[in-house]
Amino acid sequence: MRIRLAAGLILGCVVAFLLAGCAVFRPTDQVRFGLWASEQNLWDEAIFRWKKALAADPKSIAARNNLAVAYEKKGLFEEALKEYEEALKLDPNNTYVKSNYKNCQENIQPLKKEAPETKNEKK
Amino acid sequence: MKRNRMLLPVLMAVLNVSACVLEPSVKVKIEIPGTPAVRLDAYREIVIADFWQEKESKDFDLNKALTEYLRDELEHQFKGKLSSQAIAWPSAEAIQDKDFWRQALANPEGRLILTGKAEFNQDVRKALLAANRRAIDDGPFAPEKAWAERKNFSLKLDIILIRPDSGEILFQKDFQETMDYENKRQPAEFAFNDLLQRVRLKLFRLLFSSEKIQERYLLSK
């Protein structure tokens, strides 16, 4: 009886421990917190979290890539390109970053071709 | 047997959790703001000038129809002032002539010129429908119609936005649209309007770009 109870207790602890590590439901670090924030459409919060993650670890590809996506969402395309390029410097073969970077470039390039000398200064 | 019963939920929990923890990326759909080809909000006025036409139609005033249409449609999107002005084009090459555009308006500051080249054509096109040669040779008494006729209209527009203070071209885009009508008496004005609506959709998408939904990958580690 005691053995069964102990086994049950251990089993419960193991399951609870594993669930605690689940990224989607309980963000445990800045990158994951940013992911959670972006899921809630809180992109400013996500940017804040991913910037913090980058401050702690400037070589974090996830933080750079996610920050770039958030910049795209905010319409800050130049900043997004810069972050993607930095992420690709760290990992040139990362297919996710490469795909995001290509899509971001495609959004910007046709406009550059059509209006090569566009000047945006206000009069 | 009892041991197996206990192992099963543990195994399921481990698999379930590992699937969620080990996923390195999340595919998300996000609304990305469009980037307009030209920041029109930086200008206080758009002057719609006459378009260059290689050959002018006698029974249809293309420039008038074009100017009125663009003015009506731009009114819904552009917050500044809209006006139109007749411009005496010396030649088609004047588009590239910066001096010509610098002298086009009296007060060029904060204004943009919308102009370009326009070509509107119409013709009747015939196509052989009958596979049987006999049906054609029988003339009007043929059992079925051998030929199909369609009225074809085509519109070529080269739309240009020019800064009159510097004479430089800010935006240039070619549009070419065609439409066939079964009605051989289709009025040119109506067809012109249909074709212009197609051009407007494409042009305004570039000038007043709206948000678009795209897929991106977010990384978890």
Side-chain angles (χ1 to χ4, degrees), chain A residues 4 11 18 21-22 35 38 43 65-66 72-73 77 96 100 103 107 111 114-115 117-120 123, chain B residues 2 10 14 17 20-21 25 30-33 35 37 39 163 165 168 170 206 214 216-219:
Chain A
R4 210 179 276 177
L11 173 69
L18 290 171
C22 182
L35 276 178
S38 71
W43 287 93
N65 172 78
N66 298 354
E72 274 196 271
K73 167 75 185 162
F77 298 107
Y96 300 117
N100 286 345
N103 287 328
N107 280 342
L111 302 176
E114 276 155 12
E117 293 171 88
T118 304
K119 286 177 184 169
N120 296 331
K123 298 220 162 191
Chain B
K2 277 180 185 173
V10 177
V14 169
V17 172
C20 116
V21 170
S25 72
I30 53 170
E31 278 182 0
I32 293 178
T35 38
R39 282 264 181 94
R163 265 179 74 158
D165 53 353
E168 68 180 326
L170 292 184
L206 292 168
Q214 291 193 343
R216 292 288 185 274
Y217 293 101
L218 290 174
L219 305 180

mmCIF file of all heavy atoms in Angstrom, chain A residues 4 11 18 21-22 35 38 43 65-66 72-73 77 96 100 103 107 111 114-115 117-120 123, chain B residues 2 10 14 17 20-21 25 30-33 35 37 39 163 165 168 170 206 214 216-219:
data_model
loop_
_atom_site.group_PDB
_atom_site.id
_atom_site.type_symbol
_atom_site.label_atom_id
_atom_site.label_comp_id
_atom_site.label_asym_id
_atom_site.label_seq_id
_atom_site.Cartn_x
_atom_site.Cartn_y
_atom_site.Cartn_z
ATOM 1 N N ARG A 4 2.700 1.673 -3.243
ATOM 2 C CA ARG A 4 1.793 2.187 -4.276
ATOM 3 C C ARG A 4 1.595 3.710 -4.126
ATOM 4 O O ARG A 4 1.610 4.456 -5.092
ATOM 5 C CB ARG A 4 0.455 1.464 -4.158
ATOM 6 C CG ARG A 4 -0.237 1.348 -5.502
ATOM 7 C CD ARG A 4 -1.528 0.626 -5.372
ATOM 8 N NE ARG A 4 -1.366 -0.814 -5.415
ATOM 9 C CZ ARG A 4 -2.357 -1.678 -5.268
ATOM 10 N NH1 ARG A 4 -3.575 -1.244 -5.029
ATOM 11 N NH2 ARG A 4 -2.164 -2.961 -5.363
ATOM 12 N N LEU A 11 5.029 9.706 -9.412
ATOM 13 C CA LEU A 11 4.438 9.887 -10.740
ATOM 14 C C LEU A 11 3.836 11.299 -10.879
ATOM 15 O O LEU A 11 4.051 12.009 -11.868
ATOM 16 C CB LEU A 11 3.367 8.817 -10.963
ATOM 17 C CG LEU A 11 2.546 8.947 -12.223
ATOM 18 C CD1 LEU A 11 3.413 8.656 -13.437
ATOM 19 C CD2 LEU A 11 1.364 7.994 -12.194
ATOM 20 N N LEU A 18 7.259 18.032 -15.513
ATOM 21 C CA LEU A 18 7.296 18.122 -16.982
ATOM 22 C C LEU A 18 6.347 19.199 -17.493
ATOM 23 O O LEU A 18 6.673 19.964 -18.399
ATOM 24 C CB LEU A 18 6.935 16.766 -17.613
ATOM 25 C CG LEU A 18 7.984 15.673 -17.436
ATOM 26 C CD1 LEU A 18 7.442 14.341 -17.902
ATOM 27 C CD2 LEU A 18 9.243 16.016 -18.214
ATOM 28 N N GLY A 21 7.641 22.690 -17.305
ATOM 29 C CA GLY A 21 8.613 23.049 -18.342
ATOM 30 C C GLY A 21 7.994 23.383 -19.666
ATOM 31 O O GLY A 21 8.670 23.806 -20.600
ATOM 32 N N CYS A 22 6.691 23.206 -19.777
ATOM 33 C CA CYS A 22 6.035 23.445 -21.069
ATOM 34 C C CYS A 22 6.072 24.924 -21.430
ATOM 35 O O CYS A 22 5.625 25.769 -20.673
ATOM 36 C CB CYS A 22 4.595 22.974 -21.002
ATOM 37 S SG CYS A 22 3.771 23.185 -22.563
ATOM 38 N N LEU A 35 7.089 35.285 -26.718
ATOM 39 C CA LEU A 35 6.223 34.455 -27.570
ATOM 40 C C LEU A 35 4.783 34.479 -27.060
ATOM 41 O O LEU A 35 3.831 34.615 -27.832
ATOM 42 C CB LEU A 35 6.723 33.007 -27.575
ATOM 43 C CG LEU A 35 7.826 32.647 -28.545
ATOM 44 C CD1 LEU A 35 8.208 31.193 -28.351
ATOM 45 C CD2 LEU A 35 7.388 32.855 -29.987
ATOM 46 N N SER A 38 3.261 37.811 -27.820
ATOM 47 C CA SER A 38 2.884 37.955 -29.242
ATOM 48 C C SER A 38 1.603 37.162 -29.538
ATOM 49 O O SER A 38 0.786 37.577 -30.348
ATOM 50 C CB SER A 38 4.028 37.501 -30.149
ATOM 51 O OG SER A 38 4.187 36.108 -30.091
ATOM 52 N N TRP A 43 2.330 43.109 -28.941
ATOM 53 C CA TRP A 43 3.611 43.142 -29.651
ATOM 54 C C TRP A 43 4.634 44.078 -29.008
ATOM 55 O O TRP A 43 5.828 43.827 -29.085
ATOM 56 C CB TRP A 43 3.402 43.483 -31.128
ATOM 57 C CG TRP A 43 2.801 42.334 -31.854
ATOM 58 C CD1 TRP A 43 1.479 42.104 -32.088
ATOM 59 C CD2 TRP A 43 3.496 41.197 -32.399
ATOM 60 N NE1 TRP A 43 1.310 40.903 -32.740
ATOM 61 C CE2 TRP A 43 2.520 40.327 -32.951
ATOM 62 C CE3 TRP A 43 4.827 40.821 -32.483
ATOM 63 C CZ2 TRP A 43 2.854 39.121 -33.574
ATOM 64 C CZ3 TRP A 43 5.165 39.626 -33.096
ATOM 65 C CH2 TRP A 43 4.174 38.787 -33.634
ATOM 66 N N ASN A 65 15.539 36.961 -34.265
ATOM 67 C CA ASN A 65 14.541 36.632 -35.292
ATOM 68 C C ASN A 65 13.158 37.135 -34.867
ATOM 69 O O ASN A 65 12.452 37.784 -35.653
ATOM 70 C CB ASN A 65 14.517 35.113 -35.495
ATOM 71 C CG ASN A 65 13.377 34.687 -36.392
ATOM 72 O OD1 ASN A 65 13.461 34.822 -37.606
ATOM 73 N ND2 ASN A 65 12.299 34.199 -35.814
ATOM 74 N N ASN A 66 12.792 36.857 -33.613
ATOM 75 C CA ASN A 66 11.466 37.245 -33.145
ATOM 76 C C ASN A 66 11.317 38.763 -33.091
ATOM 77 O O ASN A 66 10.266 39.305 -33.413
ATOM 78 C CB ASN A 66 11.193 36.638 -31.768
ATOM 79 C CG ASN A 66 11.194 35.128 -31.819
ATOM 80 O OD1 ASN A 66 11.293 34.546 -32.898
ATOM 81 N ND2 ASN A 66 11.103 34.488 -30.673
ATOM 82 N N GLU A 72 8.616 43.946 -38.139
ATOM 83 C CA GLU A 72 7.822 43.896 -39.375
ATOM 84 C C GLU A 72 6.357 44.187 -39.081
ATOM 85 O O GLU A 72 5.689 44.907 -39.806
ATOM 86 C CB GLU A 72 7.936 42.506 -40.005
ATOM 87 C CG GLU A 72 9.125 42.330 -40.905
ATOM 88 C CD GLU A 72 8.956 41.110 -41.782
ATOM 89 O OE1 GLU A 72 9.362 40.022 -41.338
ATOM 90 O OE2 GLU A 72 8.435 41.243 -42.886
ATOM 91 N N LYS A 73 5.882 43.578 -38.021
ATOM 92 C CA LYS A 73 4.484 43.767 -37.611
ATOM 93 C C LYS A 73 4.195 45.246 -37.352
ATOM 94 O O LYS A 73 3.111 45.747 -37.639
ATOM 95 C CB LYS A 73 4.230 42.915 -36.364
ATOM 96 C CG LYS A 73 2.950 43.193 -35.619
ATOM 97 C CD LYS A 73 1.743 42.637 -36.327
ATOM 98 C CE LYS A 73 0.458 43.040 -35.610
ATOM 99 N NZ LYS A 73 -0.715 42.914 -36.420
ATOM 100 N N PHE A 77 10.526 48.222 -41.203
ATOM 101 C CA PHE A 77 11.150 47.228 -42.080
ATOM 102 C C PHE A 77 12.680 47.284 -42.076
ATOM 103 O O PHE A 77 13.336 46.249 -42.153
ATOM 104 C CB PHE A 77 10.611 47.378 -43.506
ATOM 105 C CG PHE A 77 9.131 47.125 -43.578
ATOM 106 C CD1 PHE A 77 8.243 48.159 -43.767
ATOM 107 C CD2 PHE A 77 8.623 45.853 -43.425
ATOM 108 C CE1 PHE A 77 6.879 47.941 -43.805
ATOM 109 C CE2 PHE A 77 7.260 45.604 -43.456
ATOM 110 C CZ PHE A 77 6.389 46.658 -43.646
ATOM 111 N N TYR A 96 14.451 28.884 -40.866
ATOM 112 C CA TYR A 96 13.340 29.741 -40.420
ATOM 113 C C TYR A 96 13.689 31.218 -40.616
ATOM 114 O O TYR A 96 12.908 31.999 -41.139
ATOM 115 C CB TYR A 96 13.019 29.468 -38.947
ATOM 116 C CG TYR A 96 12.603 28.046 -38.671
ATOM 117 C CD1 TYR A 96 13.369 27.226 -37.838
ATOM 118 C CD2 TYR A 96 11.456 27.506 -39.243
ATOM 119 C CE1 TYR A 96 12.995 25.911 -37.589
ATOM 120 C CE2 TYR A 96 11.081 26.196 -39.001
ATOM 121 C CZ TYR A 96 11.851 25.402 -38.174
ATOM 122 O OH TYR A 96 11.491 24.109 -37.929
ATOM 123 N N ASN A 100 12.013 33.948 -43.251
ATOM 124 C CA ASN A 100 11.475 35.239 -42.794
ATOM 125 C C ASN A 100 12.166 36.405 -43.511
ATOM 126 O O ASN A 100 11.528 37.367 -43.948
ATOM 127 C CB ASN A 100 11.690 35.399 -41.290
ATOM 128 C CG ASN A 100 10.759 34.533 -40.479
ATOM 129 O OD1 ASN A 100 9.768 34.009 -40.995
ATOM 130 N ND2 ASN A 100 11.071 34.349 -39.217
ATOM 131 N N ASN A 103 11.055 36.783 -47.147
ATOM 132 C CA ASN A 103 9.716 37.389 -47.242
ATOM 133 C C ASN A 103 9.748 38.882 -46.935
ATOM 134 O O ASN A 103 9.047 39.667 -47.569
ATOM 135 C CB ASN A 103 8.747 36.695 -46.278
ATOM 136 C CG ASN A 103 8.370 35.322 -46.774
ATOM 137 O OD1 ASN A 103 8.296 35.076 -47.978
ATOM 138 N ND2 ASN A 103 8.140 34.414 -45.861
ATOM 139 N N ASN A 107 8.901 42.139 -49.545
ATOM 140 C CA ASN A 107 7.947 43.221 -49.245
ATOM 141 C C ASN A 107 8.532 44.580 -49.593
ATOM 142 O O ASN A 107 7.817 45.494 -49.984
ATOM 143 C CB ASN A 107 7.582 43.229 -47.758
ATOM 144 C CG ASN A 107 6.540 42.181 -47.441
ATOM 145 O OD1 ASN A 107 5.864 41.689 -48.330
ATOM 146 N ND2 ASN A 107 6.415 41.850 -46.178
ATOM 147 N N LEU A 111 9.049 47.972 -54.080
ATOM 148 C CA LEU A 111 8.823 49.401 -53.847
ATOM 149 C C LEU A 111 10.084 50.202 -54.133
ATOM 150 O O LEU A 111 10.024 51.309 -54.644
ATOM 151 C CB LEU A 111 8.372 49.637 -52.410
ATOM 152 C CG LEU A 111 7.113 48.877 -52.021
ATOM 153 C CD1 LEU A 111 6.780 49.071 -50.567
ATOM 154 C CD2 LEU A 111 5.946 49.341 -52.882
ATOM 155 N N GLU A 114 10.296 50.544 -57.883
ATOM 156 C CA GLU A 114 9.320 51.466 -58.471
ATOM 157 C C GLU A 114 9.621 52.927 -58.149
ATOM 158 O O GLU A 114 9.346 53.804 -58.926
ATOM 159 C CB GLU A 114 7.919 51.125 -57.968
ATOM 160 C CG GLU A 114 7.301 50.034 -58.789
ATOM 161 C CD GLU A 114 6.260 49.272 -58.024
ATOM 162 O OE1 GLU A 114 5.864 49.719 -56.940
ATOM 163 O OE2 GLU A 114 5.843 48.220 -58.507
ATOM 164 N N ALA A 115 10.114 53.152 -56.977
ATOM 165 C CA ALA A 115 10.355 54.532 -56.581
ATOM 166 C C ALA A 115 11.784 54.665 -56.059
ATOM 167 O O ALA A 115 12.008 54.781 -54.868
ATOM 168 C CB ALA A 115 9.366 54.946 -55.521
ATOM 169 N N GLU A 117 13.893 56.989 -56.165
ATOM 170 C CA GLU A 117 14.365 58.252 -55.589
ATOM 171 C C GLU A 117 13.328 58.877 -54.673
ATOM 172 O O GLU A 117 13.289 60.074 -54.495
ATOM 173 C CB GLU A 117 14.720 59.228 -56.700
ATOM 174 C CG GLU A 117 15.922 58.777 -57.491
ATOM 175 C CD GLU A 117 16.112 59.634 -58.715
ATOM 176 O OE1 GLU A 117 16.776 60.644 -58.587
ATOM 177 O OE2 GLU A 117 15.578 59.288 -59.766
ATOM 178 N N THR A 118 12.442 58.052 -54.124
ATOM 179 C CA THR A 118 11.393 58.589 -53.266
ATOM 180 C C THR A 118 12.003 59.293 -52.063
ATOM 181 O O THR A 118 12.845 58.748 -51.371
ATOM 182 C CB THR A 118 10.477 57.467 -52.782
ATOM 183 O OG1 THR A 118 9.978 56.814 -53.924
ATOM 184 C CG2 THR A 118 9.332 57.992 -51.955
ATOM 185 N N LYS A 119 11.563 60.516 -51.880
ATOM 186 C CA LYS A 119 12.045 61.252 -50.707
ATOM 187 C C LYS A 119 10.846 61.487 -49.804
ATOM 188 O O LYS A 119 9.814 61.965 -50.241
ATOM 189 C CB LYS A 119 12.673 62.569 -51.138
ATOM 190 C CG LYS A 119 14.024 62.312 -51.760
ATOM 191 C CD LYS A 119 14.630 63.571 -52.264
ATOM 192 C CE LYS A 119 15.940 63.251 -52.973
ATOM 193 N NZ LYS A 119 16.455 64.383 -53.694
ATOM 194 N N ASN A 120 10.985 61.127 -48.564
ATOM 195 C CA ASN A 120 9.839 61.143 -47.674
ATOM 196 C C ASN A 120 9.781 62.361 -46.746
ATOM 197 O O ASN A 120 8.974 62.412 -45.850
ATOM 198 C CB ASN A 120 9.832 59.884 -46.815
ATOM 199 C CG ASN A 120 9.659 58.665 -47.694
ATOM 200 O OD1 ASN A 120 9.039 58.754 -48.747
ATOM 201 N ND2 ASN A 120 10.227 57.555 -47.269
ATOM 202 N N LYS A 123 7.197 68.575 -46.009
ATOM 203 C CA LYS A 123 7.458 69.973 -46.356
ATOM 204 C C LYS A 123 6.855 70.867 -45.312
ATOM 205 O O LYS A 123 5.748 70.628 -44.887
ATOM 206 C CB LYS A 123 6.835 70.259 -47.696
ATOM 207 C CG LYS A 123 7.485 69.391 -48.752
ATOM 208 C CD LYS A 123 7.685 70.166 -49.988
ATOM 209 C CE LYS A 123 8.697 69.458 -50.858
ATOM 210 N NZ LYS A 123 9.144 70.219 -51.932
ATOM 211 N N LYS B 2 -0.593 -4.249 -13.663
ATOM 212 C CA LYS B 2 -0.820 -2.974 -12.986
ATOM 213 C C LYS B 2 0.275 -1.967 -13.321
ATOM 214 O O LYS B 2 0.033 -0.791 -13.458
ATOM 215 C CB LYS B 2 -0.882 -3.192 -11.482
ATOM 216 C CG LYS B 2 -2.247 -3.647 -11.012
ATOM 217 C CD LYS B 2 -2.255 -3.835 -9.539
ATOM 218 C CE LYS B 2 -3.583 -4.417 -9.098
ATOM 219 N NZ LYS B 2 -3.567 -4.772 -7.677
ATOM 220 N N VAL B 10 2.193 7.964 -17.778
ATOM 221 C CA VAL B 10 3.507 8.627 -17.700
ATOM 222 C C VAL B 10 4.067 8.824 -19.099
ATOM 223 O O VAL B 10 4.510 9.921 -19.460
ATOM 224 C CB VAL B 10 4.496 7.777 -16.850
ATOM 225 C CG1 VAL B 10 5.868 8.426 -16.841
ATOM 226 C CG2 VAL B 10 3.971 7.604 -15.453
ATOM 227 N N VAL B 14 4.840 12.349 -20.967
ATOM 228 C CA VAL B 14 6.191 12.678 -21.447
ATOM 229 C C VAL B 14 6.156 13.041 -22.923
ATOM 230 O O VAL B 14 6.723 14.063 -23.341
ATOM 231 C CB VAL B 14 7.161 11.497 -21.202
ATOM 232 C CG1 VAL B 14 8.476 11.727 -21.923
ATOM 233 C CG2 VAL B 14 7.395 11.315 -19.716
ATOM 234 N N VAL B 17 4.309 16.466 -23.427
ATOM 235 C CA VAL B 17 5.092 17.628 -22.985
ATOM 236 C C VAL B 17 6.323 17.831 -23.843
ATOM 237 O O VAL B 17 6.665 18.948 -24.220
ATOM 238 C CB VAL B 17 5.459 17.470 -21.488
ATOM 239 C CG1 VAL B 17 6.417 18.556 -21.060
ATOM 240 C CG2 VAL B 17 4.209 17.514 -20.645
ATOM 241 N N CYS B 20 5.644 19.666 -26.946
ATOM 242 C CA CYS B 20 5.456 21.110 -26.815
ATOM 243 C C CYS B 20 6.740 21.826 -26.456
ATOM 244 O O CYS B 20 6.964 22.956 -26.855
ATOM 245 C CB CYS B 20 4.302 21.379 -25.857
ATOM 246 S SG CYS B 20 4.681 22.202 -24.375
ATOM 247 N N VAL B 21 7.617 21.156 -25.722
ATOM 248 C CA VAL B 21 8.853 21.809 -25.315
ATOM 249 C C VAL B 21 9.874 21.834 -26.447
ATOM 250 O O VAL B 21 10.549 22.820 -26.673
ATOM 251 C CB VAL B 21 9.434 21.087 -24.074
ATOM 252 C CG1 VAL B 21 10.829 21.577 -23.761
ATOM 253 C CG2 VAL B 21 8.534 21.314 -22.877
ATOM 254 N N SER B 25 10.096 26.123 -33.468
ATOM 255 C CA SER B 25 9.521 27.296 -34.122
ATOM 256 C C SER B 25 7.996 27.258 -34.088
ATOM 257 O O SER B 25 7.391 26.205 -33.961
ATOM 258 C CB SER B 25 9.971 27.344 -35.576
ATOM 259 O OG SER B 25 9.307 26.343 -36.290
ATOM 260 N N ILE B 30 0.732 37.011 -39.406
ATOM 261 C CA ILE B 30 0.674 38.365 -38.855
ATOM 262 C C ILE B 30 0.264 39.366 -39.938
ATOM 263 O O ILE B 30 0.533 39.155 -41.120
ATOM 264 C CB ILE B 30 2.022 38.807 -38.212
ATOM 265 C CG1 ILE B 30 3.181 38.629 -39.197
ATOM 266 C CG2 ILE B 30 2.285 38.071 -36.938
ATOM 267 C CD1 ILE B 30 4.462 39.255 -38.711
ATOM 268 N N GLU B 31 -0.387 40.408 -39.485
ATOM 269 C CA GLU B 31 -0.772 41.489 -40.407
ATOM 270 C C GLU B 31 0.394 42.459 -40.501
ATOM 271 O O GLU B 31 0.765 43.087 -39.511
ATOM 272 C CB GLU B 31 -2.003 42.220 -39.881
ATOM 273 C CG GLU B 31 -3.288 41.517 -40.196
ATOM 274 C CD GLU B 31 -4.510 42.272 -39.725
ATOM 275 O OE1 GLU B 31 -4.371 43.360 -39.151
ATOM 276 O OE2 GLU B 31 -5.608 41.750 -39.923
ATOM 277 N N ILE B 32 0.955 42.548 -41.702
ATOM 278 C CA ILE B 32 2.106 43.436 -41.891
ATOM 279 C C ILE B 32 1.651 44.679 -42.646
ATOM 280 O O ILE B 32 1.011 44.573 -43.696
ATOM 281 C CB ILE B 32 3.224 42.697 -42.647
ATOM 282 C CG1 ILE B 32 3.762 41.580 -41.735
ATOM 283 C CG2 ILE B 32 4.338 43.629 -43.072
ATOM 284 C CD1 ILE B 32 4.816 40.728 -42.333
ATOM 285 N N PRO B 33 1.944 45.847 -42.105
ATOM 286 C CA PRO B 33 1.511 47.065 -42.790
ATOM 287 C C PRO B 33 2.169 47.186 -44.161
ATOM 288 O O PRO B 33 3.354 46.877 -44.309
ATOM 289 C CB PRO B 33 1.965 48.209 -41.868
ATOM 290 C CG PRO B 33 2.523 47.577 -40.655
ATOM 291 C CD PRO B 33 2.730 46.130 -40.907
ATOM 292 N N THR B 35 3.756 49.081 -47.386
ATOM 293 C CA THR B 35 4.560 50.294 -47.524
ATOM 294 C C THR B 35 4.188 50.973 -48.844
ATOM 295 O O THR B 35 4.389 50.384 -49.906
ATOM 296 C CB THR B 35 6.068 49.964 -47.528
ATOM 297 O OG1 THR B 35 6.232 48.750 -48.268
ATOM 298 C CG2 THR B 35 6.612 49.795 -46.146
ATOM 299 N N ALA B 37 4.246 53.168 -52.178
ATOM 300 C CA ALA B 37 5.342 53.490 -53.094
ATOM 301 C C ALA B 37 5.791 54.937 -52.917
ATOM 302 O O ALA B 37 6.974 55.248 -53.070
ATOM 303 C CB ALA B 37 4.903 53.240 -54.524
ATOM 304 N N ARG B 39 5.075 58.440 -50.324
ATOM 305 C CA ARG B 39 4.371 58.987 -49.162
ATOM 306 C C ARG B 39 3.527 60.182 -49.607
ATOM 307 O O ARG B 39 3.985 61.314 -49.584
ATOM 308 C CB ARG B 39 5.386 59.429 -48.115
ATOM 309 C CG ARG B 39 5.967 58.315 -47.317
ATOM 310 C CD ARG B 39 5.183 58.175 -45.985
ATOM 311 N NE ARG B 39 5.731 57.121 -45.178
ATOM 312 C CZ ARG B 39 6.639 57.317 -44.229
ATOM 313 N NH1 ARG B 39 7.066 58.525 -43.972
ATOM 314 N NH2 ARG B 39 7.086 56.305 -43.528
ATOM 315 N N ARG B 163 7.570 65.213 -59.058
ATOM 316 C CA ARG B 163 7.727 66.348 -58.134
ATOM 317 C C ARG B 163 8.029 67.580 -58.974
ATOM 318 O O ARG B 163 9.118 67.680 -59.552
ATOM 319 C CB ARG B 163 8.915 66.102 -57.198
ATOM 320 C CG ARG B 163 8.514 65.491 -55.880
ATOM 321 C CD ARG B 163 9.703 65.266 -55.025
ATOM 322 N NE ARG B 163 10.215 66.528 -54.475
ATOM 323 C CZ ARG B 163 10.965 66.575 -53.393
ATOM 324 N NH1 ARG B 163 11.296 65.481 -52.761
ATOM 325 N NH2 ARG B 163 11.406 67.734 -52.932
ATOM 326 N N ASP B 165 8.799 70.587 -58.148
ATOM 327 C CA ASP B 165 9.867 71.486 -57.693
ATOM 328 C C ASP B 165 11.250 71.006 -58.158
ATOM 329 O O ASP B 165 12.157 71.802 -58.383
ATOM 330 C CB ASP B 165 9.832 71.671 -56.159
ATOM 331 C CG ASP B 165 9.837 70.343 -55.408
ATOM 332 O OD1 ASP B 165 9.725 69.290 -56.084
ATOM 333 O OD2 ASP B 165 9.960 70.359 -54.178
ATOM 334 N N GLU B 168 11.746 65.553 -60.811
ATOM 335 C CA GLU B 168 12.078 64.123 -60.803
ATOM 336 C C GLU B 168 10.828 63.247 -60.709
ATOM 337 O O GLU B 168 9.816 63.647 -60.129
ATOM 338 C CB GLU B 168 13.041 63.796 -59.667
ATOM 339 C CG GLU B 168 12.456 63.924 -58.298
ATOM 340 C CD GLU B 168 13.455 63.585 -57.205
ATOM 341 O OE1 GLU B 168 14.288 62.714 -57.431
ATOM 342 O OE2 GLU B 168 13.379 64.215 -56.141
ATOM 343 N N LEU B 170 8.831 60.352 -59.198
ATOM 344 C CA LEU B 170 8.789 59.621 -57.932
ATOM 345 C C LEU B 170 8.232 58.222 -58.110
ATOM 346 O O LEU B 170 8.557 57.313 -57.353
ATOM 347 C CB LEU B 170 7.906 60.371 -56.923
ATOM 348 C CG LEU B 170 8.398 61.704 -56.410
ATOM 349 C CD1 LEU B 170 7.451 62.225 -55.357
ATOM 350 C CD2 LEU B 170 9.796 61.588 -55.827
ATOM 351 N N LEU B 206 -0.699 50.050 -54.800
ATOM 352 C CA LEU B 206 0.689 50.500 -54.708
ATOM 353 C C LEU B 206 0.808 51.838 -53.982
ATOM 354 O O LEU B 206 1.714 52.043 -53.185
ATOM 355 C CB LEU B 206 1.289 50.644 -56.116
ATOM 356 C CG LEU B 206 1.503 49.351 -56.893
ATOM 357 C CD1 LEU B 206 1.810 49.660 -58.351
ATOM 358 C CD2 LEU B 206 2.627 48.542 -56.296
ATOM 359 N N GLN B 214 0.706 37.772 -43.674
ATOM 360 C CA GLN B 214 1.817 36.929 -44.115
ATOM 361 C C GLN B 214 2.229 35.971 -43.003
ATOM 362 O O GLN B 214 1.941 36.211 -41.836
ATOM 363 C CB GLN B 214 3.014 37.803 -44.511
ATOM 364 C CG GLN B 214 2.747 38.600 -45.766
ATOM 365 C CD GLN B 214 4.015 39.213 -46.333
ATOM 366 O OE1 GLN B 214 5.026 39.313 -45.653
ATOM 367 N NE2 GLN B 214 3.948 39.630 -47.582
ATOM 368 N N ARG B 216 5.103 34.013 -40.786
ATOM 369 C CA ARG B 216 6.473 34.142 -40.280
ATOM 370 C C ARG B 216 6.728 33.052 -39.237
ATOM 371 O O ARG B 216 5.787 32.502 -38.677
ATOM 372 C CB ARG B 216 6.673 35.515 -39.609
ATOM 373 C CG ARG B 216 6.627 36.707 -40.553
ATOM 374 C CD ARG B 216 7.860 36.777 -41.415
ATOM 375 N NE ARG B 216 7.869 37.971 -42.227
ATOM 376 C CZ ARG B 216 7.281 38.087 -43.409
ATOM 377 N NH1 ARG B 216 6.615 37.075 -43.920
ATOM 378 N NH2 ARG B 216 7.340 39.204 -44.106
ATOM 379 N N TYR B 217 8.005 32.789 -39.008
ATOM 380 C CA TYR B 217 8.366 31.824 -37.969
ATOM 381 C C TYR B 217 8.898 32.562 -36.753
ATOM 382 O O TYR B 217 9.808 33.380 -36.873
ATOM 383 C CB TYR B 217 9.442 30.871 -38.487
ATOM 384 C CG TYR B 217 8.965 29.964 -39.588
ATOM 385 C CD1 TYR B 217 9.261 30.236 -40.920
ATOM 386 C CD2 TYR B 217 8.206 28.830 -39.298
ATOM 387 C CE1 TYR B 217 8.808 29.408 -41.939
ATOM 388 C CE2 TYR B 217 7.754 27.997 -40.311
ATOM 389 C CZ TYR B 217 8.063 28.296 -41.626
ATOM 390 O OH TYR B 217 7.613 27.475 -42.624
ATOM 391 N N LEU B 218 8.340 32.244 -35.595
ATOM 392 C CA LEU B 218 8.888 32.736 -34.331
ATOM 393 C C LEU B 218 9.632 31.564 -33.704
ATOM 394 O O LEU B 218 9.159 30.426 -33.754
ATOM 395 C CB LEU B 218 7.770 33.212 -33.406
ATOM 396 C CG LEU B 218 7.050 34.499 -33.812
ATOM 397 C CD1 LEU B 218 5.878 34.753 -32.896
ATOM 398 C CD2 LEU B 218 7.985 35.696 -33.808
ATOM 399 N N LEU B 219 10.797 31.836 -33.132
ATOM 400 C CA LEU B 219 11.612 30.764 -32.565
ATOM 401 C C LEU B 219 11.498 30.760 -31.044
ATOM 402 O O LEU B 219 11.447 31.828 -30.423
ATOM 403 C CB LEU B 219 13.072 30.937 -32.986
ATOM 404 C CG LEU B 219 13.324 31.041 -34.505
ATOM 405 C CD1 LEU B 219 14.814 31.214 -34.773
ATOM 406 C CD2 LEU B 219 12.805 29.821 -35.243
#
